[in-house]
């Protein structure tokens, strides 16, 4: 399982408006990721969204590739609606109206992972002692 962090630069002072957008967010019907040919390549395990001042960060835990996550998130109507409503609050405009635009934004706004630890990655002998 991998974790990605996607950053958004937002206009400060709009945290409540943005919180309302995501409180009404409609999830994709399926967590299954697919490649360009439609083959199953992974699954979204969890997402979380954090906001403070002029930064928002979306964390995504998944099996598969980040490109497949971006492709998956570019399609659902709920994501398109949230993107439309979020646009006025972004400090840096972006084009996510196409799959390629969405993928470009994902690539450009992904944070570098310095460390990722989970209980699942511990050796069995360590887990037995917990």
């Amino acid at each position: 399982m991998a974790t990605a962090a996607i950053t958004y630069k937002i206009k400060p002072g709009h945290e409540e408006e943005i919180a309302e957008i995501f409180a009404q967010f409609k999830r994709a019907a399926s967590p299954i990721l697919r490649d360009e040919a439609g083959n199953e390549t992974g699954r979204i395990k969890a997402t979380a969204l954090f906001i403070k001042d002029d930064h928002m960060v979306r964390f995504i835990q998944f099996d598969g590739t980040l490109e497949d996550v971006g492709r998956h998130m570019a399609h659902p109507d709920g994501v398109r609606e949230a993107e439309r409503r979020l646009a006025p609050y972004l400090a840096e405009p972006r084009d996510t109206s196409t799959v390629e635009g969405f993928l470009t934004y994902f690539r450009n706004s992904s944070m570098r992972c310095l460390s990722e630890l989970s209980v699942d990655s511990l050796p069995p002998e360590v887990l037995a002692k917990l």
Side-chain angles (χ1 to χ4, degrees):
M1 179 171 58
T3 303
I6 310 297
T7 63
Y8 301 75
K9 291 183 181 173
I10 58 172
K11 296 175 183 175
H14 297 285
E15 292 89 346
E16 292 309 313
E17 293 93 332
I18 293 170
E20 181 64 26
I21 291 168
F22 287 100
Q24 297 173 4
F25 182 74
K26 295 189 178 30
R27 300 183 74 156
S30 171
I32 296 173
L33 303 178
R34 299 189 183 280
D35 63 15
E36 290 176 332
N39 301 310
E40 185 174 328
T41 59
R43 165 180 307 259
I44 293 180
K45 302 288 191 170
T47 63
L49 191 62
F50 295 84
I51 190 169
K52 180 161 177 55
D53 302 327
D54 64 344
H55 287 85
M56 187 167 65
V57 179
R58 177 184 298 277
F59 292 93
I60 307 166
Q61 290 184 322
F62 61 96
D63 292 329
T65 69
L66 186 58
E67 184 166 321
D68 290 339
V69 171
R71 186 176 299 104
H72 176 80
M73 292 182 72
H75 290 292
D77 290 340
V79 173
R80 291 196 181 278
E81 176 63 12
E83 287 288 317
R84 184 191 65 73
R85 292 181 62 201
L86 185 61
Y89 305 111
L90 295 174
E92 296 176 355
R94 59 206 175 107
D95 179 16
T96 56
S97 62
T98 65
V99 172
E100 187 51 47
F102 207 94
L103 291 173
T104 298
Y105 179 74
F106 249 54
R107 282 189 292 273
N108 293 342
S109 65
S110 295
M111 297 177 79
R112 177 180 162 201
C113 181
L114 300 179
S115 176
E116 185 170 357
L117 305 171
S118 73
V119 172
D120 294 339
S121 65
L122 294 173
E125 61 274 10
V126 173
L127 282 174
K129 294 178 184 178
L130 297 179

